[in-house]
Amino acid sequence: MATAGRGRAGAWVTAWARAERASDLAVALCLFVGLRIAFSALAFLVAARGDAAPPCFRGLAAPVLHPTGLDFRLLGVWERWDACWYERIAAVGYPPRDPSVAFFPLYPLLMRVVGVPLGGHLTLAGLVVSALAYIAAIVGLCRLVRRDFDVGVARRAALALSVFPSAFFLFAPYTEALFLALAVWVLDAARGGRWGLAALLALLVGLTRTQGCFLALPLAWEWWRSWRIGRAGVSAALVPPLPVAGLLLFLAYSKAATGGTTFQAQRANWGFLPRPPWAAIAASWHFIRAHDRPIEVLNLTLLLLFTAFLLAGLRRLPPSYSLYATPQLLLIGTREHLADTPLMSTSRFLLVLFPIFVLVALVGRCRPLWYGWLGLSLALLTLLVVWFFRGEFVA
């Protein structure tokens, strides 16, 4: 009888463990479906009012969607700004001396692959890639954060990130969802001692965007921590340099294929220049006083808020979290855009700094602060996504 009881208890524990793993996927799917329905409803409203800007094509070999009708309201409204560049790269690659080399290759490559069974519909392919990446990112985030905190913190972090004002970029044909998914899963693989998987993901994250190279820092910390207690061999030390190797691989390819590198293209065509953080903040403040651009107010406010959160919460975060967030935040705060708003795209770049949302989740144990954060985030998210559908630059 006792054996049978222990057997039933063991079966119950196994079933509970499986249910808990599945519940992360359930949370991710619920968030995805709910937000996708909300964004689609907003797109229909904006298009019905005649306020939606037409999609852009940027010299694609052939249009892949109609500029009117149902497909425009569901798909074409997402074809904005950087999404057009990724679609162009997926269609024609990197032509010689073309500014598209400013954009990294993994996302458009996945668009091209996914577009094959979709009849070459690259806009739809980009949305599918982002959808799958978002779900993977939320599942991986919950899994990673549970290693260091409880389930409640993990779920609140996922929710706070998903309703952040710029969170709609996780659903758009942009790299945010893919980068976030690769980042959380490579850290989770390293934390779990799965260095083979970590090696593959580390190389891929370096092919996704410039900031991917910074994953070398938390991976180096995780290797050293594991090696010190005998859980990682010397061969695993090859993993931390792989994000940098991915970046260098693309730089070498872009130079050979197009005659220029991503950094040259970004400076020549987008006007990003390095600045001391105080100079970038001062430029943003002077711009706000001289121009009526609410998006710059949001960019500066979020940059300062994230910096304050990180400084105040460093002791609460595992070292690998801090090593992930700090260099990216420094990069965001030390660039000035000369042709538009000084802190252009800051709200989007901050979106992938998941450790900040872990700190928000910890603060979220205080219900009034938590509901206040969610309410303000949802209001700003609604406003920004409407502006995005209208063709305004909110990145």
Side-chain angles (χ1 to χ4, degrees):
M1 183 67 69
T3 302
R6 285 195 298 269
R8 286 194 296 269
W12 184 86
V13 170
T14 301
W16 175 259
R18 290 175 179 172
E20 181 141 354
R21 286 197 299 270
S23 66
D24 289 339
L25 178 59
V27 167
L29 289 173
C30 287
L31 286 171
F32 173 79
V33 172
L35 288 169
R36 172 58 72 184
I37 291 174
F39 293 150
S40 296
L42 287 173
F44 266 85
L45 290 174
V46 172
R49 288 172 53 89
D51 293 335
C56 54
F57 298 108
R58 292 199 184 278
L60 291 175
V64 294
L65 53 81
H66 300 291
T68 59
L70 181 63
D71 57 349
F72 167 68
R73 297 185 182 190
L74 290 176
L75 306 175
V77 291
W78 293 99
E79 196 180 31
R80 299 278 184 265
W81 307 106
D82 290 5
C84 304
W85 286 102
Y86 288 118
E87 190 168 318
R88 184 176 188 272
I89 297 166
V92 301
Y94 294 101
R97 295 176 297 279
D98 191 83
S100 61
V101 75
F103 300 90
F104 278 59
L106 182 61
Y107 186 79
L109 176 61
L110 292 176
M111 288 176 66
R112 182 68 175 265
V113 172
V114 174
V116 172
L118 297 176
H121 200 311
L122 294 177
T123 303
L124 179 57
L127 292 173
V128 170
V129 171
S130 291
L132 296 175
Y134 168 80
I135 293 169
I138 296 302
V139 172
L141 176 63
C142 291
R143 178 186 173 97
L144 176 63
V145 174
R146 279 208 318 272
R147 290 181 179 274
D148 305 291
F149 303 94
D150 57 42
V151 175
V153 172
R155 300 290 164 76
R156 286 197 300 272
L159 178 58
L161 189 151
S162 296
V163 299
F164 188 65
S166 60
F168 62 92
F169 284 109
L170 295 170
F171 294 75
Y174 279 63
T175 60
E176 269 62 34
L178 179 62
F179 179 82
L180 180 61
L182 291 170
V184 295
W185 278 103
V186 72
L187 291 177
D188 183 75
R191 295 289 293 275
R194 295 167 299 174
W195 292 103
L197 175 61
L200 173 61
L201 298 177
L203 181 63
L204 292 178
V205 79
L207 295 170
T208 305
R209 58 197 301 179
T210 306
Q211 295 89 329
C213 67
F214 293 136
L215 266 295
L217 297 175
L219 287 174
W221 166 266
E222 292 298 338
W223 173 81
W224 181 80
R225 185 180 64 86
S226 298
W227 176 78
R228 189 178 57 177
I229 60 177
R231 293 185 56 197
V234 177
S235 61
L238 298 175
V239 174
L242 288 176
V244 179
L247 170 64
L248 295 177
L249 185 64
F250 176 57
L251 291 178
Y253 166 80
S254 62
K255 185 68 174 179
T258 70
T261 68
T262 182
F263 300 123
Q264 292 170 336
Q266 287 174 5
R267 173 172 291 193
N269 297 280
W270 277 266
F272 280 113
L273 289 178
R275 288 285 189 268
W278 54 89
I281 291 172
S284 177
W285 175 246
H286 292 311
F287 182 92
I288 290 170
R289 295 182 63 186
H291 301 84
D292 182 20
R293 294 292 296 277
I295 189 62
E296 184 66 6
V297 177
L298 180 64
N299 284 334
L300 178 59
T301 301
L302 289 176
L303 177 62
L304 295 177
L305 184 63
F306 271 50
T307 302
F309 257 101
L310 185 60
L311 291 176
L314 280 175
R315 293 185 178 181
R316 302 293 303 276
L317 293 174
S320 58
Y321 287 35
S322 301
L323 289 170
Y324 171 83
T326 301
Q328 293 193 60
L329 190 58
L330 284 173
L331 177 63
I332 294 168
T334 55
R335 298 196 314 170
E336 180 185 346
H337 189 264
L338 300 181
D340 205 302
T341 58
L343 296 179
M344 188 180 77
S345 300
T346 291
S347 61
R348 176 164 62 91
F349 294 149
L350 294 173
L351 177 62
V352 298
L353 301 188
F354 73 86
I356 307 299
F357 295 100
V358 174
L359 294 173
V360 171
L362 291 171
V363 173
R365 288 170 173 161
C366 175
R367 293 297 180 88
L369 290 176
W370 173 241
Y371 289 124
W373 174 279
L374 289 183
L376 182 59
S377 285
L378 283 169
L380 291 172
L381 172 60
T382 302
L383 180 62
L384 261 62
V385 76
V386 169
W387 286 355
F388 180 79
F389 291 150
R390 289 169 55 183
E392 301 180 33
F393 191 85
V394 296

